Amino acid sequence: MTISMSSASLQVCTRMLTNLHHILGKAEQFVEAKKIDPAALTTYRLSPDMLPFTRQILIACDSVKNGVARLGGLEAPKFEDTETTLAELKVRIQKTLDFIATVPASAIDGTEDNEVTFPAGPGKTRTMQGQDYLNGWVMPNMYFHITMAYAILRHNGVDVGKIDYLLGSQG
């Protein structure tokens, strides 16, 4: 039995972004309990040359919404990238979830061999077949940026664990 492009993308991305939303809820509880400035988390980076927490969330969301839209031949919603608070970042995740919930499986299924051209850095594009794009670009980018956000929170003492990453509030 083969796995469909929609089940490999829509379902997985929905689960991971939902788990990320849950993790940000735990970050909100942490800053409230510790009485710290939330910017201590939202601007934090693990390394000087690394993007800060907020950008990790924005890129995770953009990887999903743009990837799903490109695969399905749809117009991705445009988000302004003005989020600075944990609450605003949770809204961004929810807007991304709301968008991918509107994408029918039929728009994604059967796109394995379709060519997808996408931005790959300033002034650069890249073209891949749909399945390679999903498995080799969209999903790794989503996982990478969610993992970096998780690592930043964990490093700063937020009570998140592997089960939060994998199962979110269902854990």
Side-chain angles (χ1 to χ4, degrees):
M1 172 189 254
T2 59
I3 186 168
S4 70
M5 290 285 283
S6 63
S7 64
S9 59
L10 299 174
Q11 295 171 11
V12 176
C13 292
T14 296
R15 186 183 81 243
M16 291 307 299
L17 288 176
T18 300
N19 296 353
L20 181 60
H21 192 278
H22 164 76
I23 289 168
L24 265 62
K26 291 187 102 174
E28 287 178 318
Q29 293 169 357
F30 175 82
V31 297
E32 178 65 30
K34 298 288 184 183
K35 306 288 188 235
I36 62 171
D37 181 358
L41 297 179
T42 59
T43 62
Y44 195 85
R45 54 184 87 211
L46 293 174
S47 174
D49 65 347
M50 176 184 181
L51 294 171
F53 178 82
T54 295
R55 290 296 302 157
Q56 302 297 333
I57 303 300
L58 300 181
I59 294 170
C61 290
D62 287 350
S63 295
V64 170
K65 78 173 172 74
N66 293 331
V68 166
R70 287 183 190 114
L71 284 168
L74 306 167
E75 185 73 28
K78 304 244 184 295
F79 300 151
E80 295 299 317
D81 294 348
T82 56
E83 297 84 355
T84 58
T85 68
L86 293 168
E88 289 170 345
L89 291 169
K90 286 174 66 180
V91 169
R92 173 66 168 260
I93 294 166
Q94 189 57 57
K95 288 191 317 188
T96 305
L97 286 165
D98 292 346
F99 168 66
I100 62 174
T102 69
V103 177
S106 60
I108 307 293
D109 290 339
T111 62
E112 294 85 351
D113 296 323
N114 293 359
E115 283 194 349
V116 179
T117 301
F118 56 97
K124 298 178 184 174
T125 61
R126 188 174 183 129
T127 301
M128 299 173 84
Q129 287 188 312
Q131 187 170 358
D132 294 334
Y133 174 63
L134 176 63
N135 292 328
W137 194 268
V138 175
M139 301 306 283
N141 270 292
M142 177 195 68
Y143 283 121
F144 175 85
H145 291 287
I146 291 174
T147 301
M148 290 303 101
Y150 168 90
I152 288 169
L153 295 179
R154 177 81 181 203
H155 174 80
N156 281 283
V158 177
D159 184 24
V160 292
K162 184 177 178 181
I163 207 73
D164 294 300
Y165 179 88
L166 294 174
L167 298 176
S169 62
Q170 298 172 13

